[in-house]
């Protein structure tokens, strides 16, 4: 029920209410009898003892006294009225007669002096009555309309505020080119129709979370300047059967009325999963909604001018009927950005932030391998928050380094104190990773080592590939496994015992080794794919899943994985045994400094020690106010928190 229909249905009730209220408020006016007397007649009736009540009211505007009252023998609704000129003699006469005949006498104030107040009271009373009736009727009608509103589409129409264009989408050059022709079609469909070309009815954006799928869809709508409906896949499905299908129909009905337009369905896998899966199966609410969506996209009816863009990070669970030509004709892979793309994304999110001159977005992009667009935005935002907390005016590399570690591993647990033995164990463990990364030519480059606890890790070693590649050789994978095993080997060589610190290393190493055997064909079992990474999430499939290899082959797979791990473990043992001095040097330096950067590690390897820090005399005037307050706190200067910079300098000099 829309608002216009609601108003029309309430008008008769309001008219009836106004009539009844008027009758109640003014009925006594229509049912009253007033006898008009002269002044002389009134005096005569008083002298005859007929008058029981008299009320006199001055009217200064008309220069008269209005006298009203009741005589003996009058009915309950009957009164008399007398108008006489304003005169003190009239009041004196009536008072003297009242003393003689003892009738009820009353004087009133001029009603004109409070007429406005009277009008306000009357209007306010009527307004309260009308407002109460409106509230009750609207509430009942609203409840009725909501109860009948299940089948309405939950798609939201973009109002054009916060418009997004391709300039706001960085790092997706090829993806923008893929969807650019959608914009051309929406702007000038005739050019395509002349050639007999059919524009794709649907475009599916596929990629990991945070890569910018929703942002790209918003940019298409912003560039095309057409109505843009957006909805989540979960908003279709309800408890009641048939509601989702009804919402799909209503959504397309609205879109047809505003064609050409765009419909964006986020997380379409919530409603577009394959039918007939799971233990129960059957035609449940979700399947009916999917069936209606399939029909609307390419059924008997035509949806000219409507383009659907959907996003998901699980294309493997979508129904095949949804992906066929005529529905989602095109799939656009929105992958993680490369170094150049990351730099472009950082430039977009750096707008409005103040950076120190030493900050290089190119270097940040190089170090943030594997970061999505959302991760990069979070990185700069965390750096900005840290800058504010540290009372700095610009973002420096110190804040960006800390923010980078926070995004990867979580905040540093500075309050967690190591025992000396634990600190030594972690230092040698991380040094083992670092030495293998330094000595193996195909291993990842060591960027940073720290033994400060973060998240679930007691320390971590940030190692990145020398260059970003789409493929990896067998030797590169083996050296990566060797680097992962370096921590355990270092513990064994140094302390003669092992700890639980290598659990995550083993998990990653085993995963790589298994993929080499079962997916990449890098073992004696030959170029055969025994397993794939397209794992299904449907219980029915898992329950009825059959192995595509025998138990004998499974045994051989386990043997090959063991062979790869043992080979890499032996190689790591040889490298660390022959480079014990370097491992000890890095470990002892870590124990002292807790964190080493790539530049410090390179200098340490070349020179055997870190460069001596030059002691520079810094004047108090060169320090920030936060540094001055820290010094004042150490010297226990009272009231330092409220002092200005000049006052702090004077106190510290004293």
């Amino acid at each position: 029920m829309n608002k216009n229909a609601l108003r029309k249905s309430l008008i008769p009730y309001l008219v009836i209410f106004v009539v009844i209220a008027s009758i109640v408020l003014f009925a006594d006016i229509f049912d009253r009898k007033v006898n008009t007397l002269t002044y002389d007649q009134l005096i005569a009736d008083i002298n005859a003892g007929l008058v029981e009540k008299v009320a006199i009211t001055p009217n200064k505007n008309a220069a008269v006294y209005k006298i009203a009252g009741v005589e003996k023998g009058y009915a309950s609704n009957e009164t008399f009225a007398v108008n006489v000129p304003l005169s003190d003699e009239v009041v004196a006469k009536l008072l003297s007669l009242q003393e003689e005949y003892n009738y009820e006498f009353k004087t009133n104030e001029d009603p004109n002096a409070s007429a406005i107040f009277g009008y306000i009271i009357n209007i306010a009373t009527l307004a309260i009555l009308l407002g109460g009736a409106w509230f009750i009727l609207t509430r009942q009608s609203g409840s009725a309309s909501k109860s009948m509103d299940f089948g309405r589409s939950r798609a939201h129409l973009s109002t054009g505020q916060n418009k997004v264009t391709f300039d706001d989408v960085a790092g997706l050059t090829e993806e923008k080119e893929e969807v650019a022709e959608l914009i051309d079609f929406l702007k000038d469909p005739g050019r395509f129709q002349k050639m007999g070309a059919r524009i794709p009815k649907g475009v599916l954006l596929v990629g990991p979370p945070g890569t910018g799928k929703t942002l790209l869809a918003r940019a298409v709508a912003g560039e095309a300047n057409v109505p843009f409906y957006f909805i989540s896949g979960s908003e279709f499905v309800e408890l009641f059967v048939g509601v989702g299908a009804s919402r799909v129909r209503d959504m397309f009905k609205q879109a047809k009325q505003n064609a050409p337009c765009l419909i964006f369905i986020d997380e379409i896998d919530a409603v577009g999963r394959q039918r007939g899966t799971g233990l129960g199966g059957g035609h449940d609410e979700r399947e009916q909604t999917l069936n209606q969506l399939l029909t609307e996209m390419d059924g008997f009816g035509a949806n000219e001018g409507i383009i659907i863009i959907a996003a998901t990070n699980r294309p493997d669970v979508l129904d095949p009927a949804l992906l066929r030509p005529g529905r989602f004709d095109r799939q656009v892979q929105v992958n993680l950005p490369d170094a150049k793309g990351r730099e472009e994304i950082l430039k977009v999110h750096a707008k409005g932030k103040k950076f120190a001159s030493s900050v290089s977005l190119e270097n940040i992009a190089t170090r943030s391998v594997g970061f999505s667009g959302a991760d990069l935005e979070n990185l700069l935002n965390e750096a900005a928050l840290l800058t504010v907390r540290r009372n700095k005016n610009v973002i420096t590399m110190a804040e960006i380094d800390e923010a980078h570690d926070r995004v990867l591993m979580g905040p540093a647990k500075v309050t967690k104190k190591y025992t000396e033995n634990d600190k030594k164990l972690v230092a040698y463990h991380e040094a083992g990773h670092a030495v293998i990364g330094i000595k193996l030519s195909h291993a990842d480059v060591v960027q940073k080592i720290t033994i400060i606890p973060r998240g679930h890790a007691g320390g971590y070693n940030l190692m990145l590939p020398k260059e970003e590649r789409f493929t990896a050789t067998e030797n590169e994978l083996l050296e990566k496994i060797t680097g992962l095993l370096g921590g355990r080997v270092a513990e064994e060589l140094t302390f003669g015992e092992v700890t639980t610190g290598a659990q995550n290393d083993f998990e990653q190493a085993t995963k790589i080794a298994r993929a080499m055997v079962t997916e990449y064909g890098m073992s004696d079992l030959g170029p055969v794919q025994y397993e794939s990474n397209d794992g299904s999430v449907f219980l029915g499939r898992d329950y009825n899943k059959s192995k595509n290899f025998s138990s004998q082959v499974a045994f051989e797979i386990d043997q090959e994985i063991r062979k790869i791990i043992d080979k890499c473990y032996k190689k790591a043992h040889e490298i660390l045994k022959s480079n014990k001095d370097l491992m000890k040097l890095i470990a002892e330096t870590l124990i002292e400094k807790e964190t080493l950067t790539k530049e410090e590690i390179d200098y340490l390897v070349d020179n055997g020690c870190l460069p001596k820090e030059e002691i520079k005399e810094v004047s108090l005037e060169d320090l920030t106010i936060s540094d001055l307050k820290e010094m004042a706190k150490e010297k226990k200067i009272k009231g330092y928190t409220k002092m200005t910079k000049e006052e702090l300098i004077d106190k510290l000099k004293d």
Side-chain angles (χ1 to χ4, degrees), residues 525-590:
L525 295 181
V528 179
Q529 187 181 46
Y530 295 100
E531 294 178 355
S532 65
N533 56 6
D534 297 330
S536 173
V537 297
F538 298 120
L539 176 61
R541 286 188 178 178
D542 292 341
Y543 191 80
N544 297 311
K545 186 176 180 181
S546 59
K547 293 183 178 180
N548 54 1
F549 50 82
S550 64
S551 57
Q552 176 62 32
V553 173
F555 175 73
E556 293 176 3
I557 289 173
D558 292 340
Q559 282 188 319
E560 291 296 322
I561 294 172
R562 167 60 60 190
K563 190 186 298 184
I564 291 173
I565 296 295
D566 288 345
K567 178 182 177 181
C568 293
Y569 193 90
K570 183 178 180 182
K571 187 173 184 179
H573 195 278
E574 293 172 357
I575 293 171
L576 292 180
K577 189 174 183 180
S578 58
N579 292 277
K580 264 190 173 184
D581 294 338
L582 178 59
M583 180 175 65
K584 182 179 180 181
L585 176 64
I586 295 175
E588 295 298 329
T589 309
L590 262 178

Side-chain angles (χ1 to χ4, degrees), residues 235-308:
E235 292 184 76
F236 287 111
V237 182
E238 287 281 359
L239 172 65
F240 303 101
V241 176
V243 171
S246 177
R247 288 180 179 175
V248 172
R249 289 191 295 271
D250 189 64
M251 180 180 69
F252 277 89
K253 179 182 177 181
Q254 294 181 34
K256 290 174 186 176
Q257 294 171 353
N258 293 278
C261 68
L262 278 171
I263 296 176
F264 176 62
I265 305 175
D266 198 12
E267 303 298 342
I268 193 173
D269 51 276
V271 71
R273 290 174 180 261
Q274 293 185 24
R275 292 165 290 180
T277 53
L279 287 175
H283 300 283
D284 60 4
E285 164 65 0
R286 180 183 55 77
E287 291 193 3
Q288 290 194 30
T289 306
L290 175 58
N291 292 337
Q292 187 63 48
L293 181 62
L294 296 174
T295 303
E296 292 289 346
M297 288 189 69
D298 188 26
F300 290 103
N303 289 320
E304 296 296 336
I306 301 175
I307 296 177
I308 301 176

